[in-house]
Amino acid sequence: MAPVQKRFSEKIKEVTPVRLIAISFAVIIAFGTFFLLLPISSKSGSVSFINALFTSTSATCVTGLTPFDTFSQWTVFGQVIILILIQLGGLGLLTFTTGFTLLLRGRLGLRDIQLVKEQTSSQAIHIRQLLKMIFTSTFLCEMVGAILLCIRFVPAYGPKGIWISVFLAVSSYCNAGFDILGFQGPSTSLINFQQDPLVLGTISLLIILGGLGYVVVNEIYTLATQRIHGEKKGFHNFS
């Protein structure tokens, strides 16, 4: 058994980072399809393979295209699966796994660093700092967004409003385009909130922050920090 595992490990090491990223997305899409095909995932008890595959692919690749209204078709279990796919797709599966590698090992190998650079399109040398920024900024933005949305959805829908807020916050930040507001009417989405500045403002800001990307946010943060520190020390840039 050990020689087989060794050969498999060696073959994995021979795969280029770009191919490994593509393979990783294919694997997560396959797992997502499997779980969406389970009777517990669909309110009708069954869904065709092509529709489960399409939904899984759309969620993982955060396109927002779907053959069904998410609330009307999928149970809470199915919605959770879709949300996990959105989060993995938004973060980048390799970013996620590399983060846990760093957490468990305490360090990254050259191959891990190359994978993160390919996934994030970054040339940054401080990979540990980049990963910390990615996870921190993602979950912080999503948490704050969910809290703000709860101000509107919890009074309107009770405890269910918490789940709606979390789902919309993650979907918005990852630019996924999925929503679970179909209980208001099939494919209603945010139509009933078109005059609500809190809901539209929060979701718009999440979309912008998520769309900017990790590297851009990191550069803005670094520049702002340097400027603040420079001003505290009495240095000014007049250019």
Side-chain angles (χ1 to χ4, degrees):
M1 192 66 163
V4 175
Q5 292 178 346
K6 186 176 181 180
R7 286 198 298 270
F8 178 76
S9 178
E10 290 175 350
K11 288 183 178 180
I12 289 294
K13 291 180 179 179
E14 293 175 359
V15 180
T16 62
V18 174
R19 288 184 178 180
L20 190 56
I21 290 172
I23 292 171
S24 300
F25 269 86
V27 169
I28 199 67
I29 288 171
F31 273 102
T33 302
F34 169 77
F35 282 111
L36 291 179
L37 282 171
L38 296 177
I40 193 176
S41 296
S42 176
K43 290 182 179 179
S44 63
S46 64
V47 65
S48 68
F49 173 79
I50 188 62
N51 284 323
L53 174 62
F54 187 93
T55 303
S56 178
T57 303
S58 180
T60 305
C61 298
V62 290
T63 67
L65 300 174
T66 174
F68 305 114
D69 175 76
T70 305
F71 174 83
S72 302
Q73 176 63 35
W74 306 106
T75 62
V76 173
F77 179 83
Q79 293 169 19
V80 170
I81 295 301
I82 290 174
L83 190 65
I84 292 173
L85 294 174
I86 290 172
Q87 187 72 89
L88 288 174
L91 277 173
L93 183 60
L94 264 296
T95 302
F96 213 103
T97 54
T98 305
F100 280 108
T101 299
L102 179 60
L103 180 65
L104 295 174
R105 294 183 189 170
R107 61 184 176 83
L108 290 174
L110 291 175
R111 182 175 178 78
D112 298 314
I113 292 174
Q114 182 62 29
L115 282 171
V116 177
K117 286 183 177 180
E118 292 287 352
Q119 182 67 39
T120 61
S121 301
S122 172
Q123 298 300 321
I125 297 175
H126 303 290
I127 300 300
R128 182 188 295 267
Q129 180 183 354
L130 179 63
L131 283 173
K132 182 179 178 180
M133 184 277 297
I134 289 173
F135 282 97
T136 302
S137 63
T138 296
F139 292 120
L140 181 62
C141 287
E142 291 175 351
M143 181 181 68
V144 173
I147 291 173
L148 290 175
L149 292 175
C150 277
I151 295 174
R152 182 68 72 241
F153 291 128
V154 171
Y157 305 119
K160 184 170 66 172
I162 299 175
W163 172 236
I164 295 172
S165 300
V166 171
F167 191 99
L168 287 179
V170 175
S171 180
S172 300
Y173 186 79
C174 295
N175 283 235
F178 283 78
D179 72 82
I180 51 173
L181 296 171
F183 59 89
Q184 303 172 114
S187 303
T188 302
S189 191
L190 295 172
I191 292 176
N192 292 334
F193 297 91
Q194 58 184 278
Q195 303 297 329
D196 192 318
L198 176 62
V199 173
L200 297 185
T202 300
I203 290 177
S204 296
L205 185 58
L206 287 172
I207 292 172
I208 292 171
L209 291 174
L212 283 175
Y214 315 121
V215 178
V216 175
V217 173
N218 186 47
E219 289 295 328
I220 294 174
Y221 172 77
T222 302
L223 182 61
T225 303
Q226 291 174 348
R227 187 178 294 274
I228 292 172
H229 288 168
E231 290 177 354
K232 286 182 178 180
K233 294 179 180 179
F235 295 108
H236 300 278
N237 185 356
F238 297 99
S239 57

